[in-house]
Amino acid sequence: PVEPEFKYVGNMHGNEVLGRELLLQLSEFLCEEYRRGNERITRLIHDTRIHIMPSMNPDGYEVAAKQGPDSNGYLTGRNNANGVDLNRNFPDLNTLMYYSREISGPNHHIPLPDNWKSQVEPETFAVIQWISSYNFVLSANLHGGAVVANYPYDKSQDQRFRSHRRTVNTPTPDDKLFQKLAKTYSYAHSWMHRGWNCGDYFADGITNGASWYSLSKGMQDFNYLYTNCFEITLELSCNKFPPEEDLERQWMANREALVAFIEEVHQGIKGIVSDENNNGIAGAVISVRGISHDITSGDMGDYFRLLLPGTYTVTASAEGYQPLTVTTTVGPAAPSLVHFQLKQEVVRKPTERKASGTRVNNKALQKKVVPRATRRGTQR
């Protein structure tokens, strides 16, 4: 089970179609190269569970496709059939996280609001169900309208300055890792890393999302705050709906980057959290000293923690078990295998104290005990 889950999501905005076409082509490319015996692709497929969703917004795509690339308006087909922007439709966990941070609350797997199901669109609901069903480790969602690799956080803590176009770099606890992931794509891309694209300049072809502009209720931040998944957003073309004759050039520009980014899922540490009988422990918390963002083990006890090369102190903990802390070194080539076998906590029974002094006869001990009526109301 120590095989990481990876995903690509395209066409979240229906009129940003290049990601959709690239993911369809990538699917065909992976299958063809596997059949040809390409060692790199074969190893990648054998060692990784790759999920590809070419279109998250098929209704929006149909609207955009009817107009075509020549007459397509900048926003035509962007939203879903209900007129909702799906990348502004996920539960706002950033606000909860910023508050939680002030009170030393949880820094991962932040609970969803009670009414979240009534607040999201069918596509958003389906994606949340999907990403909750797999222990995804790494992801990218593909957009258009710029050429840059965007990483979390997308939403700044202070939204009051949004109307004045003030931007604030808002890093996650894994900021250096996210920068490395974004650079992996930008430097493998034919021209993203050059910085100047579409009239904008981004050093190394990457940007912190909130530093560019603050975005609330986006899918990228939701992945990081609700699941184990690290997601970035790839803006891939100045033209949201490029003409057919441009697709081959775009494919050649992105092919190596799409493969190289999948390979990034194989870094850091991974392993199994189990009990003394080698049974996997689901939901065990993996904490890395110095990084205030934890991840959890999957249903089989398997975990994956993306990390840059270095030496780390890592703790695995689970309810009912004694936590275990180890020190491990992560290299640049492959993930380090670190298993945790946790011992159950010993529950000590309180020692019985013998009564001292006057002996009490048995009859006095036989006093009938009448239980109190159960108090009605909310119970913890």
Side-chain angles (χ1 to χ4, degrees), residues 43-111:
R43 182 172 60 251
L44 187 62
I45 290 175
H46 284 177
D47 295 344
T48 321
R49 295 194 66 189
I50 303 170
H51 304 246
I52 296 176
M53 180 185 288
S55 180
M56 182 180 163
N57 185 3
D59 292 333
Y61 170 77
E62 290 297 326
V63 172
K66 283 180 181 179
Q67 295 220 1
D70 297 327
S71 59
N72 190 273
Y74 195 75
L75 297 177
T76 303
R78 176 184 176 90
N79 298 338
N80 73 345
N82 294 328
V84 176
D85 185 335
L86 298 179
N87 205 31
R88 311 290 191 279
N89 188 236
F90 283 78
D92 180 11
L93 300 185
N94 294 75
T95 299
L96 298 176
M97 179 270 297
Y98 293 137
Y99 173 74
S100 177
R101 192 164 61 184
E102 292 176 0
I103 61 172
S104 300
N107 60 22
H108 67 108
H109 292 78
I110 295 175

Side-chain angles (χ1 to χ4, degrees), residues 167-336:
T167 58
V168 181
N169 183 60
T170 309
T172 69
D174 289 284
D175 186 56
K176 291 182 179 179
L177 173 61
F178 270 118
Q179 290 188 43
K180 191 254 187 179
L181 292 171
K183 285 181 182 179
T184 295
Y185 198 95
S186 71
Y187 276 89
H189 187 279
S190 294
W191 55 81
M192 184 183 288
H193 60 278
R194 297 174 187 170
W196 281 110
N197 291 291
C198 317
D200 294 318
Y201 178 75
F202 299 100
D204 297 311
I206 69 172
T207 185
N208 171 264
S211 181
W212 185 11
Y213 63 90
S214 186
L215 181 160
S216 184
K217 300 183 180 181
M219 183 167 70
Q220 174 177 268
D221 288 2
F222 180 83
N223 271 268
Y224 185 68
L225 295 174
Y226 184 63
T227 75
N228 291 327
C229 191
F230 288 47
E231 179 167 288
I232 68 171
T233 301
L234 300 171
E235 301 279 355
L236 298 178
S237 62
C238 304
N239 190 342
K240 288 175 176 283
F241 202 127
E244 182 180 354
E245 54 268 22
D246 194 35
L247 292 181
E248 183 176 357
R249 182 180 76 97
Q250 291 287 356
W251 164 244
M252 296 307 297
N254 284 276
R255 185 180 68 182
E256 171 59 25
L258 288 166
V259 174
F261 187 74
I262 300 175
E263 292 173 328
E264 287 297 293
V265 77
H266 298 286
Q267 63 174 304
I269 58 174
K270 66 178 183 178
I272 302 289
V273 183
S274 63
D275 62 18
E276 294 174 279
N277 297 316
N278 294 317
N279 299 310
I281 301 175
V285 177
I286 308 299
S287 305
V288 180
R289 185 179 297 171
I291 304 177
S292 59
H293 182 82
D294 304 334
I295 58 101
T296 57
S297 60
D299 292 339
M300 304 295 291
D302 54 318
Y303 79 91
F304 307 84
R305 207 330 174 166
L306 298 178
L307 293 167
L308 293 172
T311 300
Y312 298 92
T313 300
V314 186
T315 299
S317 58
E319 187 175 353
Y321 296 88
Q322 300 174 27
L324 179 60
T325 299
V326 301
T327 299
T328 185
T329 299
V330 175
S336 299

Side-chain angles (χ1 to χ4, degrees), residues 126-144:
V127 167
I128 292 175
Q129 294 293 96
W130 177 46
I131 66 178
S132 300
S133 302
Y134 295 92
N135 189 15
F136 285 113
V137 179
L138 182 62
S139 171
N141 69 85
L142 281 57
H143 289 249

